[in-house]
Amino acid sequence: MTIVNSNYGQDGEQALAMQRPSSQSYNKPRAIMGSFQSFLARSQEIECYVPTPQEVFDARRCLLKKVPPELANIILDDACYWPKVSARYATDGNYLTLAASNSLDNDASASCLVTPKLSEWIVVPDAFVMIKKVCFRITSHDQGWCIDNNFPGKYQGSWTWFEAAIVRDFIEDRDIINTEDLQTRIQGALNTRMRNEDTGVVTAKNANEGSDVWHIQTNIRACRHSVTHEVAWTSDTNERDLDADEKEVFCATGSKLGRGFVRSLEMSDRVAVIARAKYPGWSNHIGSVDLEIYYSV
């Protein structure tokens, strides 16, 4: 698993420099259509840009010359002008296969990714940090066949999926110094927590679902080709999607809305992504999992 802080360090600065749009890459528009196409191209490039905390401070300082602090913060949030940190799990071309039949009860789980504590991962001195958005990008597929394939949509009847958990505490955390060893222990505890209550891992509760996980994405049913799904949850999901029918969203996309996830995050938490496969014959083939966490300062 690769943990990346996008805002600090030489590698992060080089990545940011690569993301900045180059004025030399734009051709001078010769007609209205050309101008419009050039505008679209610039918009797509600028959309990928992620500011550093210092750039957010500078932007707020400029805004404060014209507007009150409350409005300055609203402008920055509406523009999604947030720094981010990111983590990645990848198998270098060799997919991780999670087969339900390999578990004792045909209900398998594998923790693909566990982040550090947010307070240790997002370090911005003298700033109040608030998590704004969590994005997942998952490349995966199932076994490519199933016995019952008579469903109206491509996600219904699929029994391989991914879910997110908020790790609030881990008893062994106080005794283990090595970070990689600690993450491995947490992953092992998450994988066995459904069958063993005494794992030492404490997770936040999902009040909307009555569980301790949030459903991220289901694989397309009986599809042996890899598909990349992208899911984004924000801090205002509860209000913005209050009237959305989660069943309709799931039928159309295979994902859920993540209600309450971002707002439940505390700076002492870790975020985990868990792959699942249930019932004989079902297997989850995981190519990569990318996690991005955007925050305001």
Side-chain angles (χ1 to χ4, degrees), residues 42-50 294:
R42 289 198 299 271
S43 298
Q44 290 172 353
E45 290 190 48
I46 294 172
E47 186 180 2
C48 298
Y49 181 71
V50 177
Y294 292 81

Side-chain angles (χ1 to χ4, degrees), residues 7-265:
N7 305 306
Y8 298 100
Q10 184 176 2
D11 293 340
E13 289 301 321
Q14 291 175 348
L16 286 172
M18 293 175 63
Q19 292 179 22
R20 291 189 177 96
S22 171
S23 59
Q24 296 178 353
S25 64
Y26 307 141
N27 294 322
K28 186 175 180 180
R30 298 180 179 179
I32 295 177
M33 181 57 69
S35 178
F36 179 67
Q37 291 174 342
S38 177
F39 169 76
L40 289 179
R42 289 198 299 271
S43 298
Q44 290 172 353
E45 290 190 48
I46 294 172
E47 186 180 2
C48 298
Y49 181 71
V50 177
T52 66
Q54 185 58 52
E55 287 173 324
V56 176
F57 295 147
D58 292 342
R60 181 182 289 110
R61 190 177 301 111
C62 291
L63 288 170
L64 290 175
K65 296 178 181 178
K66 301 293 184 180
V67 300
E70 296 82 0
L71 185 54
N73 291 332
I74 291 174
I75 292 172
L76 292 172
D77 283 346
D78 284 350
C80 298
Y81 199 65
W82 304 316
K84 75 171 182 179
V85 289
S86 59
R88 177 176 174 81
Y89 166 83
T91 55
D92 297 326
N94 298 316
Y95 276 51
L96 170 66
T97 299
L98 176 68
S101 57
N102 288 340
S103 65
L104 295 176
D105 52 0
N106 291 302
D107 190 358
S109 65
S111 177
C112 302
L113 185 154
V114 177
T115 72
K117 288 184 177 180
L118 297 180
S119 59
E120 300 171 356
W121 196 17
I122 303 172
V123 181
V124 186
D126 302 323
F128 176 73
V129 174
M130 181 176 293
I131 306 301
K132 289 294 186 178
K133 182 168 69 171
V134 178
C135 298
F136 307 90
R137 186 182 302 106
I138 300 171
T139 300
S140 60
H141 64 88
D142 68 5
Q143 68 283 347
W145 61 272
C146 64
I147 296 175
D148 185 5
N149 203 21
N150 187 25
F151 291 91
K154 57 186 178 181
Y155 295 103
Q156 297 98 313
S158 174
W159 290 100
T160 62
W161 71 96
F162 296 84
E163 54 196 22
I166 298 174
V167 179
R168 187 131 291 169
D169 193 16
F170 185 56
I171 292 176
E172 297 184 37
D173 195 351
R174 304 168 184 85
D175 304 321
I176 302 174
I177 299 176
N178 186 282
T179 302
E180 291 185 3
D181 187 27
L182 178 60
Q183 289 179 342
T184 301
R185 296 283 189 91
I186 294 174
Q187 287 175 307
L190 288 170
N191 295 343
T192 60
R193 77 192 192 288
M194 291 184 297
R195 293 180 292 274
N196 180 11
E197 295 182 359
D198 189 22
T199 60
V201 65
V202 178
T203 51
K205 301 304 178 185
N206 179 356
N208 295 300
E209 299 286 342
S211 67
D212 67 342
V213 293
W214 283 258
H215 183 100
I216 304 172
Q217 182 66 50
T218 291
N219 284 324
I220 295 175
R221 181 187 66 257
C223 177
R224 65 177 67 253
H225 304 293
S226 293
V227 176
T228 299
H229 292 94
E230 296 185 3
V231 179
W233 297 338
T234 63
S235 57
D236 63 346
T237 295
N238 281 337
E239 289 78 6
R240 182 167 46 82
D241 297 321
L242 190 61
D243 296 328
D245 188 328
E246 198 153 47
K247 290 184 179 179
E248 292 183 2
V249 173
F250 173 79
C251 290
T253 66
S255 63
K256 291 192 176 180
L257 300 174
R259 287 185 173 124
F261 183 84
V262 175
R263 290 202 169 195
S264 297
L265 286 172

